[in-house]
Amino acid sequence: MSKDTEMQDSNNNSGDTNGSTNAPNTVSDKPQKKGTTNGTTAADGKSKKKATDEPELSEEDLALKTDLEMLVERLKEIDTSLYQPAIDQLGTHIRTSTSSMTAVPKPLKFLRPHYQSLQTVYDDWQKQPDLATVRGNLGDVLSVLAMTYADSKRDCLRYRLARPDEDPGTWGHEYVRHLATEIGEERADRIEKEQDTADLLALASKLVPFFLSHNAEADAVDLVLEMEAVDMLVEFVDENTWSKVCLYMTNCVSLLAPPDDVIFLETAHRIYRKQRQWPSAMLLAIRLDQESLMRETLTECDRPDTKKQLAFMLAQQGIWLHDDDADESIDNDDEETTALTEALRNARLSEYFKAATTDLSLADPRTTEDIYKSHLEPSRSVFSTGGVDSAKQNLAATFVNGFVNAGYGTDKMILVDDERSSFVYKNKDAGQASATASIGLLSLWDVDNGLSLIDKYFYAEDEHIKAGALLGVGVMNNGVHHEGDPAIALLSEEAAGSNPKLRTSAIIGLGLAYAGSNRQDIQDLLLELVGDTDVSMEVSSLAALSLGLVFVGSCNGDVASAVLQTLMERDEKQLVGDKWAPFMVLGLALLFVGKQEEADAAIETLKAIENPLAKHAEVLLDMLAYAGTGNVLKVQRMLHLTAEHLTVPEPAADENADGAMEEDDAQPDTPAPTEPDNLFQAFATIGIAAIAMGEDIGTEMALRQFGHLMHYGDPIIRKAVPLALGLLSASNPQMKVFETLSRYSHDADLDVAVNAIFAMGLVGAGTNNARLAQLLRSLASYYAKEPNTLFVVRLAQGLLHLGKGTMSLNPFHFDRSIFSKTALAGLVTVLIAFLDAKRTVLADAHWLLFLMTPALRPRMLITVDEKGDAVPVTVRVGQAVDSFGPGKPRKITGWVTQTTPVLLNYEHRAELATDEYLPATNVLEGVVIVKKNPNYFED
């Protein structure tokens, strides 16, 4: 190639480059030597690449860089008078710099190459005591520069700790956040090396106020959590920051391991009390399950309307406080004392419920045909018509009538003028007991009216009717505390009597009437029955169950010891295979609901008992102790238990197969078992739902696991899966759940189908879900020739329309943040009954269905004034949204404006639409006291 040609190519290349508007630099016009690629040498290529990485600086940036370099050089000079002004100017440049969110501030970028030389200057000044102050100021600058120096090993923190008295917040938010990160890392290293961390804690105490005052509440909470000093938040939080701090803390609880979760709740409770947010403080006291905190909160509250609201909250949760506690917590004003006691007793619940349902035009009683809608069934069966007088049909109609008209005090089947036409006498034997007991369900929460309606049945000659009346008294007293205490007066004598039917009804009636009360007189009455080996297993087990309901979640040592002693003393033949035995261990497990580690001692005791029932009790106790916690490790343990495939041991007397389990050893004089004793696996399956419920991610994962268990599990597990789904989604009809249950309702195993149908009723309880109603009508036609299965279909239809669509069975209250122990106890009891439905609910123990009563509650918002009279208020009802951010973000979306009383679904939340009224609590659910806003003016 000629020299002229090379010149031509070079000029063309140069022209192309110079003509590009995006090129960061230009290419020389000089001719290039031979051997180059694309007209450039390797050295020029490197130079060009370097130039591309470092674009030319603007005049302003170049001046800044020159100024900063000049200031650095001054620090290296001999004249010490230049040091402080130079450091001051460096600090000013750093503080006043601005940049985009993703860029490093320019002063820090330009000073980065001088970081090591500044470190050398800092170290040299250590030898000069007269420069101590100046050296400290330079350390501040170096601490900020260390943020951008990747090779530094927590130098940012090291230089800051050398200046403990200075405020780090003057260097900006990003610096403080970086400092907080290094504090956490440094503390972890020191803890591992067992070194002191007091200086780190002192520095953290300076960062927390900065975070709180700069809308960084989450960073403040995270920092004190890393420092294990959550308590310090109480002194720093003020009226402007408490709401977001407490919101973040309470939302983090489900992600924390013990004991941090309890510490967070206790700290948030103290903050609420400091800021006089009594309703929020009471919710956390309930969540902590500490009665002392509940009493303190009630006592400290000095506003009568708010104090009464706290009483409503306690009553809704089923928590009993003694009357003397209520009297001491307020002044000796008779009117206030009466109002507060009335609220604590839940005495006006029936009045509020009936007023609300009347306002919603639901007061007229419904008939069973209104629910069945037999004319809409795909192929109407003879069994489903009203003309056939079948015992099973009438029994189903009795329960449906009770569920649908629960709490209304009227119906068209039981409480009729002509007693001879009452459905009580259209049932037989045990059916008559359930029919009579349904009067208690119809009169739910209205004790005075209910007693007048059921009184005549106490004098009936038929013991079944009298037994039903005893149970009915317990049902109607559930959830309210009548000042006359009629339940124990009417039931205690029969509970100690000799007639087994009356005795069992009275025992269960006492358990229902005083659920969650921790009444010592009930313990004195029933405890001896638990350990008495002369009474039947039914009486002993039901006494244990009732005590479990009365002392639910209390860790009562006397009751626990009595049950454990009975498991050791009772003959194994009485315990194994008896249909009432599971209810005895359930009574033990109910004592530890939600108590977590406090149940460990009882579990260890059970492991030492050589009894097949002890294994079942251990699983049941473990699952209820962690119910509603979402504890992943416990869910994993339950899954491991369900993965075991047990086999029936060989009946040979002289040899044992390898791997045979102790509880499978057959006695010589007993028939060989036909199936393994794997009831604990059914408990574990339900336990997965009980532990995961209330936590969205855990619930989603549990639903997936249930699909696997249904495919690969043993028959006992497959039978329990539908019940677990029902518990997981009670009164929350998610389509994916009830469609899955609809498939299971056609399972070849009729036990699975029966439980799936009942679970469909649980999922839709009180919602009037149209799709579920259609599916159940189809099932009524499909199982028209199966009396037992059709009976359960009718039960599910009754539950679907529970309280005419105004009640819920879901145990979670107050924005799904707290679960009711009594409600969970009632639901789990019924589910365990359905694990052996053929011998219990579908036989002569269908009265066990009334044990769902503790879970019944109105799913509505009722607003009242300070005197307790209903007040219509405009509210927005929409999908609940959990949000955390600046300002006041919306808590609901897709809302509809309505006037109270209004119905609230599982995922719904309500808020006041205007400022005309002020609520006594920020969680609008159940009975809420409102008062006029004196500063409100209509537009």
Side-chain angles (χ1 to χ4, degrees):
M1 182 180 293
S2 66
K3 189 174 182 179
D4 294 336
T5 306
E6 289 181 343
M7 288 283 293
Q8 177 100 19
D9 292 340
S10 176
N11 289 334
N12 290 339
N13 187 25
S14 175
D16 292 341
T17 305
N18 291 332
S20 174
T21 58
N22 297 325
N25 61 334
T26 59
V27 179
S28 173
D29 291 337
K30 293 181 180 181
Q32 305 297 320
K33 296 181 179 180
K34 291 184 180 181
T36 62
T37 304
N38 295 331
T40 58
T41 63
D44 289 339
K46 293 180 180 179
S47 176
K48 181 178 180 181
K49 182 178 180 181
K50 183 177 180 181
T52 304
D53 291 342
E54 298 180 4
E56 291 184 359
L57 299 176
S58 64
E59 292 182 4
E60 182 181 355
D61 292 348
L62 187 59
L64 174 63
K65 182 178 181 182
T66 304
D67 191 18
L68 292 172
E69 290 176 346
M70 183 265 295
L71 293 173
V72 172
E73 290 301 322
R74 284 186 179 178
L75 296 177
K76 300 177 182 178
E77 295 181 5
I78 301 176
D79 189 356
T80 58
S81 63
L82 300 175
Y83 295 167
Q84 188 59 51
I87 294 173
D88 291 342
Q89 290 187 50
L90 285 174
T92 302
H93 281 301
I94 293 173
R95 289 189 182 96
T96 58
S97 64
T98 58
S99 65
S100 65
M101 292 292 292
T102 57
V104 177
K106 290 179 180 178
L108 296 182
K109 180 180 178 182
F110 295 150
L111 287 172
R112 188 174 182 279
H114 304 284
Y115 176 71
Q116 291 181 335
S117 62
L118 288 174
Q119 280 186 310
T120 303
V121 171
Y122 180 83
D123 294 337
D124 292 342
W125 287 356
Q126 187 176 9
K127 304 172 184 177
Q128 306 179 45
D130 57 326
L131 296 179
T133 303
V134 179
R135 182 173 180 268
N137 294 334
L138 178 59
D140 288 345
V141 175
L142 285 172
S143 179
V144 179
L145 288 179
M147 288 195 300
T148 62
Y149 201 74
D151 295 337
S152 64
K153 297 182 179 180
R154 290 194 280 277
D155 283 346
C156 179
L157 175 62
R158 179 167 65 88
Y159 289 118
R160 173 50 53 193
L161 290 175
R163 297 269 288 178
D165 298 331
E166 295 297 319
D167 180 16
T170 59
W171 295 97
H173 191 277
E174 192 59 38
Y175 171 71
V176 174
R177 290 188 62 186
H178 185 87
L179 202 57
T181 302
E182 292 197 358
I183 288 175
E185 295 172 353
E186 178 69 17
R187 183 182 183 277
D189 288 348
R190 292 192 188 182
I191 291 296
E192 186 176 349
K193 298 174 183 178
E194 298 183 355
Q195 297 176 351
D196 184 48
T197 60
D199 55 341
L200 298 178
L201 183 61
L203 179 57
S205 66
K206 293 184 178 181
L207 303 188
V208 170
F210 177 87
F211 282 136
L212 293 177
S213 60
H214 289 77
N215 294 320
E217 292 86 354
D219 292 331
V221 175
D222 292 341
L223 177 58
V224 296
L225 174 62
E226 283 188 304
M227 299 302 298
E228 296 184 4
V230 182
D231 291 345
M232 75 164 59
L233 279 174
V234 180
E235 63 178 291
F236 293 122
V237 171
D238 57 22
E239 66 275 5
N240 298 318
T241 57
W242 65 264
S243 60
K244 289 185 179 179
V245 168
C246 292
L247 176 63
Y248 183 73
M249 292 180 71
T250 52
N251 286 343
C252 286
V253 168
S254 60
L255 307 175
L256 297 174
D260 289 337
D261 52 351
V262 175
I263 294 173
F264 259 48
L265 290 176
E266 290 176 343
T267 304
H269 179 265
R270 290 170 57 195
I271 293 173
Y272 279 135
R273 285 170 62 179
K274 179 183 176 182
Q275 300 299 325
R276 301 173 61 80
Q277 302 297 318
W278 310 117
S280 299
M282 181 60 79
L283 287 179
L284 292 189
I286 295 173
R287 189 169 175 181
L288 285 165
D289 195 20
Q290 296 183 18
E291 188 175 339
S292 59
L293 289 182
M294 300 178 205
R295 292 177 178 174
E296 290 173 10
T297 305
L298 189 65
T299 303
E300 289 180 8
C301 181
D302 54 1
R303 297 195 291 266
D305 57 329
T306 306
K307 189 184 289 287
K308 189 175 179 181
Q309 182 66 57
L310 301 183
F312 280 133
M313 295 163 65
L314 289 169
Q316 181 178 343
Q317 195 66 11
I319 296 172
W320 292 49
L321 290 183
H322 299 298
D323 296 339
D324 54 354
D325 298 325
D327 294 341
E328 292 174 0
S329 64
I330 59 175
D331 297 332
N332 294 324
D333 186 302
D334 291 338
E335 186 176 348
E336 288 187 14
T337 303
T338 303
L340 182 62
T341 304
E342 194 177 65
L344 283 170
R345 292 181 178 276
N346 224 3
R348 298 184 66 179
L349 177 60
S350 178
E351 175 190 338
Y352 291 141
F353 176 72
K354 290 178 180 178
T357 53
T358 301
D359 190 78
L360 296 171
S361 302
L362 295 172
D364 294 336
R366 300 274 178 87
T367 64
T368 54
E369 187 54 35
D370 294 334
I371 306 305
Y372 296 164
K373 291 184 171 61
S374 302
H375 60 284
L376 296 179
E377 292 177 5
S379 58
R380 190 175 179 183
S381 65
V382 176
F383 187 82
S384 64
T385 63
V388 178
D389 188 13
S390 162
K392 209 70 172 181
Q393 169 80 355
N394 290 345
L395 182 60
T398 299
F399 278 105
V400 172
N401 177 70
F403 290 145
V404 173
N405 296 299
Y408 287 84
T410 59
D411 76 324
K412 296 182 178 180
M413 292 176 57
I414 305 292
L415 305 176
V416 294
D417 295 333
D418 186 3
E419 186 177 342
R420 291 174 298 179
S421 62
S422 172
F423 247 63
V424 171
Y425 300 100
K426 292 187 178 182
N427 285 280
K428 298 178 181 178
D429 299 333
Q432 289 183 316
S434 293
T436 310
S438 70
I439 298 176
L441 200 56
L442 295 171
S443 306
L444 189 61
W445 310 315
D446 188 0
V447 179
D448 292 328
N449 185 49
L451 288 176
S452 64
L453 294 173
I454 208 170
D455 178 66
K456 59 185 176 183
Y457 295 102
F458 280 102
Y459 307 102
E461 296 181 359
D462 193 313
E463 64 178 6
H464 294 97
I465 295 177
K466 191 173 181 180
L470 294 169
L471 180 56
V473 170
V475 171
M476 71 176 66
N477 276 275
N478 181 261
V480 295
H481 322 155
H482 194 277
E483 57 185 355
D485 216 8
I488 194 168
L490 293 169
L491 303 179
S492 57
E493 183 179 349
E494 295 296 345
S498 58
N499 188 310
K501 289 185 175 60
L502 300 182
R503 197 175 197 180
T504 54
S505 293
I507 290 171
I508 291 296
L510 287 170
L512 287 173
Y514 298 101
S517 66
N518 295 322
R519 288 272 294 258
Q520 185 64 36
D521 49 354
I522 305 298
Q523 176 180 325
D524 297 338
L525 185 63
L526 299 181
L527 190 60
E528 61 179 14
L529 297 178
V530 176
D532 189 352
T533 56
D534 294 331
V535 300
S536 66
M537 193 65 189
E538 178 182 2
V539 171
S540 183
S541 298
L542 293 181
L545 176 60
S546 288
L547 287 171
L549 288 170
V550 173
F551 294 95
V552 60
S554 66
C555 298
N556 186 290
D558 295 334
V559 179
S561 299
V563 176
L564 291 171
Q565 190 69 24
T566 302
L567 292 178
M568 290 185 281
E569 293 179 355
R570 282 270 183 178
D571 188 357
E572 186 174 326
K573 296 178 183 178
Q574 293 179 303
L575 297 174
V576 178
D578 189 278
K579 68 179 181 180
W580 299 110
F583 295 100
M584 175 174 285
V585 296
L586 175 60
L588 172 65
L590 291 179
L591 299 173
F592 299 93
V593 171
K595 289 300 183 180
Q596 302 188 35
E597 294 89 350
E598 294 180 50
D600 291 346
I603 293 176
E604 291 302 318
T605 305
L606 286 168
K607 290 179 180 179
I609 298 177
E610 296 181 1
N611 189 310
L613 201 59
K615 172 71 171 178
H616 310 327
E618 179 191 338
V619 176
L620 194 57
L621 200 154
D622 204 17
M623 100 183 194
L624 287 178
Y626 289 87
T629 62
N631 189 298
V632 178
L633 296 179
K634 291 299 176 181
V635 173
Q636 289 177 349
R637 179 174 184 268
M638 297 298 158
L639 285 170
H640 282 304
L641 291 172
T642 59
E644 299 178 16
H645 290 282
L646 305 183
T647 57
V648 181
E650 294 292 333
D654 296 330
E655 57 182 342
N656 285 326
D658 292 336
M661 301 186 68
E662 293 180 5
E663 62 262 31
D664 292 333
D665 295 338
Q667 298 292 333
D669 55 346
T670 58
T674 57
E675 60 182 21
D677 190 8
N678 54 0
L679 182 62
F680 70 89
Q681 292 187 312
F683 291 164
T685 306
I686 296 175
I688 296 172
I691 296 170
M693 67 189 303
E695 202 269 307
D696 294 337
I697 297 177
T699 299
E700 189 69 29
M701 297 304 295
L703 291 176
R704 296 184 183 182
Q705 296 299 332
F706 288 143
H708 298 317
L709 292 177
M710 203 65 185
H711 282 293
Y712 306 111
D714 291 336
I716 187 71
I717 296 175
R718 297 184 75 251
K719 188 163 59 173
V721 167
L723 299 175
L725 287 171
L727 178 63
L728 196 64
S729 191
S731 292
N732 179 23
Q734 303 176 74
M735 182 170 289
K736 59 184 176 183
V737 175
F738 66 70
E739 290 290 353
T740 300
L741 290 172
S742 179
R743 292 197 306 272
Y744 295 162
S745 66
H746 295 82
D747 196 271
D749 186 345
L750 210 55
D751 291 336
V752 175
V754 164
N755 289 352
I757 294 168
F758 180 71
M760 290 172 72
L762 287 180
V763 169
T767 64
N768 292 343
N769 186 280
R771 174 61 178 156
L772 264 173
Q774 180 185 359
L775 292 173
L776 291 173
R777 283 195 297 270
S778 299
L779 288 170
S781 175
Y782 185 81
Y783 288 111
K785 296 182 180 180
E786 294 284 348
N788 283 340
T789 313
L790 183 59
F791 170 73
V792 180
V793 173
R794 296 309 187 198
L795 289 179
Q797 287 179 305
L799 287 173
L800 179 63
H801 299 278
L802 185 66
K804 303 173 192 173
T806 62
M807 294 186 184
S808 172
L809 287 179
N810 195 282
F812 280 86
H813 305 162
F814 304 116
D815 276 350
R816 297 171 290 159
S817 62
I818 303 170
F819 77 90
S820 168
K821 293 183 290 185
T822 54
L824 181 65
L827 289 174
V828 171
T829 303
V830 175
L831 295 185
I832 288 178
F834 267 90
L835 290 176
D836 193 9
K838 288 181 179 177
R839 294 197 296 169
T840 55
V841 178
L842 299 180
D844 58 353
H846 34 71
W847 50 264
L848 285 169
L849 291 168
F850 289 109
L851 285 164
M852 279 191 295
T853 307
L856 266 66
R857 64 178 179 90
R859 62 175 188 92
M860 57 178 61
L861 167 62
I862 305 167
T863 50
V864 299
D865 59 17
E866 294 94 325
K867 296 181 180 179
D869 299 326
V871 177
V873 177
T874 305
V875 296
R876 298 189 188 102
V877 178
Q879 184 80 18
V881 177
D882 290 328
S883 55
F884 181 84
K888 293 184 178 181
R890 286 286 184 186
K891 295 183 178 180
I892 60 174
T893 183
W895 66 79
V896 177
T897 303
Q898 300 177 1
T899 302
T900 57
V902 296
L903 298 177
L904 299 176
N905 292 328
Y906 174 74
E907 295 181 342
H908 280 179
R909 183 181 290 162
E911 63 180 27
L912 296 186
T914 66
D915 295 329
E916 182 179 0
Y917 288 91
L918 299 175
T921 174
N922 56 352
V923 180
L924 303 188
E925 183 179 314
V927 181
V928 175
I929 299 174
V930 296
K931 60 181 179 181
K932 276 280 189 178
N933 185 356
N935 300 321
Y936 175 76
F937 299 98
E938 293 188 11
D939 296 333

